[in-house]
Amino acid sequence: MTSIAIVGAGPQLGLAIARTFGSEGFDVALISRNREKLDGLVGQLTAEGITATAFPADVLDRDALAQALKDAAAQFGGIDVLEYSPVGTFGSTALTTPAETEPSHVQHEIEFQLYGAIAATKAVLPAMREAGAGTLLYTTGAGSLDPVPEVGNVNAAAAALRNWAINLHKELDGTGIQAAHVGIDVSIGMSVVPGFPTAKPEQISPVYWELHTTKRDEAELVFSL
């Protein structure tokens, strides 16, 4: 069997990615902080005939995150695809413009976006190297490419993750392992900015399947309408 671990799994994009891969026969490991919410997602996927299991962990707790991925690999016989897309909760960090930003404003986002992705990758990459196959996918908003001042600190960390993911793609060239960045240039599910385009999660999730299957040479795909 093949499996995908979705770090930051939620009821929008994470669930859609789980359905996209699950419908292709993948087992699904769902990782995020909230056990109750994860159990709800597992119930939905199970009802649809998809094998899914919850592995609660906070991406800010590196040891817990690594253990969750280790447990998922043990249950499913390995992790073939890692998708990293945790989203912070409103109020968990101050949103600052570039001129207002203090180092501490960026530090939390760096811990959450970049360092969490690095920790997750280190937990699964050695086995992928041994197998000579695997896929590593990292999601940010399109502010990592075209930043907006209102969320300057978040965009800075997202850009750091994008840079690292594309660089990892270059490093892994020829190994059989695909690493890529997905930039999402829409609001997901509902509009939070007047006039900004909105897409349903199931419109976006096929991008991840394409990167895993037919676009393995691509370091980045940007979803927009």
Side-chain angles (χ1 to χ4, degrees):
M1 293 294 292
T2 47
S3 64
I4 180 172
I6 301 172
V7 180
Q12 294 277 352
L13 184 58
L15 180 59
I17 294 171
R19 283 173 168 151
T20 293
F21 280 80
S23 66
E24 297 290 344
F26 275 64
D27 294 331
V28 179
L30 301 174
I31 300 172
S32 71
R33 290 169 292 183
N34 190 307
R35 158 70 80 171
E36 183 178 354
K37 290 182 179 179
L38 286 181
D39 287 343
L41 299 180
V42 168
Q44 292 183 61
L45 293 169
T46 300
E48 296 168 16
I50 296 171
T51 299
T53 303
F55 298 91
D58 189 331
V59 299
L60 296 175
D61 185 338
R62 311 293 181 234
D63 291 340
L65 177 57
Q67 187 61 52
L69 287 163
K70 180 180 178 180
D71 292 344
Q75 177 159 331
F76 294 138
I79 299 297
D80 301 281
V81 180
L82 171 71
E83 192 280 320
Y84 187 87
S85 57
V87 177
T89 56
F90 288 108
S92 65
T93 185
L95 300 177
T96 61
T97 68
E100 295 171 333
T101 297
E102 300 288 345
S104 60
H105 295 143
V106 178
Q107 183 61 39
H108 177 271
E109 291 301 313
I110 286 285
E111 294 275 355
F112 190 72
Q113 297 194 59
L114 177 61
Y115 296 167
I118 291 173
T121 302
K122 290 182 72 67
V124 301
L125 184 54
M128 289 182 178
R129 283 191 183 276
E130 185 176 347
T135 301
L136 304 161
L137 304 174
Y138 308 92
T139 304
T140 73
S144 61
L145 297 98
D146 184 15
V148 293
E150 290 78 7
V151 287
N153 57 323
V154 175
N155 288 169
L161 174 54
R162 173 180 181 262
N163 179 283
W164 180 82
I166 292 174
N167 211 13
L168 181 62
H169 175 91
K170 295 177 180 180
E171 180 186 2
L172 295 174
D173 182 43
T175 66
I177 303 168
Q178 159 72 327
H181 168 250
V182 179
I184 300 179
D185 194 17
V186 294
S187 292
I188 302 174
M190 60 179 292
S191 178
V192 294
V193 179
F196 195 68
T198 301
K200 296 179 180 180
E202 53 268 26
Q203 291 176 272
I204 304 170
S205 59
V207 167
Y208 296 84
W209 183 251
E210 290 171 3
L211 284 166
H212 174 61
T213 55
T214 62
K215 296 185 177 180
R216 296 188 64 79
D217 292 334
E218 299 287 337
E220 178 174 65
L221 286 179
V222 178
F223 181 90
S224 61
L225 295 176

